[in-house]
Amino acid sequence: MLRLFDTAVGDIVEIVPIAPGRFSMYVCGPTVYDLAHLGHGRYALVFDVLRRYLEWRGLKVRHVSNITDVDDKILERAEAENRSPSEVASEFEEKWFSTMAKLGVLKPHEIPHATAYVGQMVALIGRLLDEGVAYLGEDGIYFDVSKVGDYGLLARQSLESLKAGARIAEKDFKKSPMDFALWKFSDPSSWSWESPWGPGRPGWHTECVVMSVDLLGEEFDLHGGGLDLSFPHHENERAQAEAMHYKFSHHWVHNGFVMVGSEKMSKSLGNFTTLDELLETTDPRAYRLLVLQSHYRSPLDVNSQTVAEASRALSRLDSTCQRVLDAGVDMTSSQLDEEELQAFREAMDNDLDTPTATGRLFELRSKVNQLLDDGMLEEAGKACATMEHLFGALGLTLHGTEEAELPSNVKEIVERREEARSVKDFALSDRLRKELSDLGFAVEDTPSGPKVKRR
RNA sequence: GGCGGCGUGGCCGAGUGGCUUAGGCAAGGGCCUGCAAAGCCCUGUACAGCGGUUCGAUUCCGCUCGCCGCCUCCA
């Protein structure tokens, strides 16, 4: 079975689903106040791949991922643009899902919204107060981290050492600098909800506890997100769950950052590229391939060079598929290669080792070409079908490279070029190739005729 | 200051106590081609530095240097 690196353990552990054959996962989703950047794309792709792989392994997965639509930054933007927070939130949520669709990220089965859970958050905060693990501060209700014995587990640090490095501005009334806001009082005239303690807004760390427990129960298999969420966000979620005596998530999984040069890409550093910008010039599948070619916990450098390399690698995969199609091989009846499936499973089971898995698939691609060269069409079909199937399991669909319908002027030039070649007028032929090239099309001469593709 | 991680051939990027050079991209040579392209074959002898453990370390341990992340909002 699958083994994954569990942040709470600090090591790779065997993943044993709570209910055999089923898997429940909660992945922290975006705060919708701006466009999604490459880092969001990576986490979404990583957990999309995890989900798809679990499903490929035959598990019935329940994937929940939230939309955080209550946040100070949403309010700031709304005020700056003189519109309501909900308008801002719904705009960026819509854009989020349209970008995710381009990336081929499957929609989670449930998409809870924080605003729909404020009532439940208030109820949870009330219970935390009753338990004596929360207290009233000057500007809100705070969680008392000293009440959780192993606070700091996900940071792999003790409360003492966390305190030692705390950079957070001290508020005198807080018992510990690590204590965090559960409820923030606010002016009733601004964006706020009613609570027994007065109008206000919920702190960020409570919503995921309430939503995950509501939809997946007090005990579920996996909780995930970007590495930057491990502390304090996930730790604070865990602290609340501990205080409530929930069993909560069995495993905590985090993906590494997208780097810009040697710096983490983040909104606060302002060094981000939006996914939409990337996708204007890049096949979304190339970004998925780039993500797959590095391990999910490693930092990933995304720049024009690494993107170009992935694009190039992708187009070679596509052209191999095209070769198989051109050879007239019917892959629908092809058996899959068991040995390859097994190797794929082993790589993926080993902490989602997609670089090894894809490396193997590139070798398979080479094998398909060799078999085609040798005229072993049936074997080539089997290998190609396996390759397509396994890339498909990773959410990457391969397809042929030929344009379904060429513009008529392009078609006409191609025909004229063929005529020129048939009478060996290669000077004209080369001029026409140049013309096509200027129009953005590449032509390749093959035994079965010219192949035209967009460049 | 505390904690965690990283340093692999031109670049990206896996992995391992000794089998056999992961893989991708780029490069060089060859086959094929009117020329190209695609494809195939061949080529580069890498694991930061210094010690230690070991019959043997890129892989284990220690130290040094360099880099990064978290401890504040962040995927």
Side-chain angles (χ1 to χ4, degrees), chain A residues 181-414:
Chain A
L182 295 166
W183 188 260
K184 303 176 187 174
F185 299 141
S186 67
D187 188 328
S189 65
S190 92
W191 196 26
S192 68
W193 282 260
E194 280 307 317
S195 85
W197 321 287
R201 292 194 293 279
W204 178 38
H205 310 302
T206 300
E207 61 178 85
C208 291
V209 181
V210 164
M211 295 188 284
S212 58
V213 167
D214 183 61
L215 294 168
L216 296 174
E218 291 180 11
E219 183 179 14
F220 53 94
D221 289 302
L222 183 146
H223 197 127
L227 186 57
D228 43 7
L229 296 188
S230 67
F231 192 93
H233 182 56
H234 284 163
E235 185 62 26
N236 290 348
E237 284 184 44
R238 208 184 61 80
Q240 293 169 79
E242 281 291 310
M244 293 309 299
H245 312 292
Y246 296 153
K247 288 188 174 165
F248 214 50
S249 184
H250 280 211
H251 302 289
W252 294 86
V253 172
H254 298 98
N255 66 276
F257 300 127
V258 169
M259 309 297 286
V260 181
S262 60
E263 249 186 356
K264 171 190 168 189
M265 174 174 291
S266 77
K267 286 183 183 173
S268 47
L269 290 173
N271 62 347
F272 61 89
T273 304
T274 67
L275 282 163
D276 292 342
E277 276 173 70
L278 175 75
L279 299 183
E280 272 173 27
T281 54
T282 305
D283 188 325
R285 297 176 305 146
Y287 190 50
R288 185 180 286 261
L289 183 60
L290 181 57
V291 167
L292 290 171
Q293 284 188 288
S294 74
H295 187 84
Y296 76 93
R297 286 189 285 118
S298 302
L300 173 63
D301 228 307
V302 182
N303 55 51
S304 55
Q305 190 193 333
T306 57
V307 168
E309 285 181 4
S311 299
R312 178 105 178 95
L314 176 65
S315 82
R316 299 183 113 164
L317 290 168
D318 278 344
S319 58
T320 293
C321 291
Q322 184 65 48
R323 277 193 81 192
V324 174
L325 292 174
D326 290 345
V329 178
D330 177 19
M331 283 188 287
T332 52
S333 58
S334 290
Q335 293 283 309
L336 299 180
D337 185 334
E338 268 308 320
E339 202 180 313
E340 290 299 329
L341 299 187
Q342 182 57 32
F344 177 80
R345 206 176 286 129
E346 277 171 21
M348 293 296 286
D349 277 353
N350 180 24
D351 195 25
L352 236 46
D353 186 357
T354 55
T356 294
T358 51
R360 182 98 192 182
L361 293 179
F362 276 105
E363 290 185 76
L364 194 53
R365 163 192 157 277
S366 183
K367 185 177 163 193
V368 172
N369 282 316
Q370 286 169 45
L371 290 166
L372 287 172
D373 285 353
D374 295 344
M376 298 173 71
L377 300 187
E378 198 175 315
E379 284 298 304
K382 178 176 177 178
C384 189
T386 305
M387 176 178 80
E388 288 190 11
H389 170 79
L390 292 177
F391 268 119
L394 299 170
L396 188 63
T397 308
L398 300 179
H399 51 61
T401 50
E402 252 184 310
E403 288 290 313
E405 196 54 44
L406 295 170
S408 57
N409 61 325
V410 170
K411 249 191 274 187
E412 191 252 341
I413 297 170
V414 171

Side-chain angles (χ1 to χ4, degrees), chain A residues 52-125:
Chain A
R52 285 173 187 268
Y53 179 63
L54 291 166
E55 288 176 343
W56 184 80
R57 284 293 240 120
L59 291 166
K60 173 93 181 125
V61 178
R62 189 130 186 261
H63 172 202
V64 177
S65 192
N66 64 290
I67 291 289
T68 296
D69 54 358
V70 184
D71 183 88
D72 289 351
K73 296 207 175 84
I74 296 172
L75 181 61
E76 279 166 31
R77 182 159 194 147
E79 283 172 346
E81 296 178 358
N82 200 24
R83 52 186 180 148
S84 73
S86 63
E87 276 174 333
V88 170
S90 56
E91 177 194 338
F92 289 105
E93 176 179 345
E94 202 174 297
K95 287 180 171 164
W96 169 267
F97 284 113
S98 115
T99 304
M100 288 303 126
K102 281 190 227 163
L103 280 176
V105 170
L106 295 172
K107 269 210 170 189
H109 300 105
E110 302 277 354
I111 303 168
H113 288 66
T115 46
Y117 277 87
V118 176
Q120 287 195 41
M121 286 190 248
V122 167
L124 174 66
I125 295 165

Side-chain angles (χ1 to χ4, degrees), chain A residues 415-430 432:
Chain A
E415 279 162 25
R416 274 168 50 209
R417 183 168 172 278
E418 277 311 284
E419 283 170 32
R421 292 184 69 232
S422 67
V423 297
K424 301 212 185 304
D425 183 351
F426 297 120
L428 176 59
S429 162
D430 288 346
L432 292 170

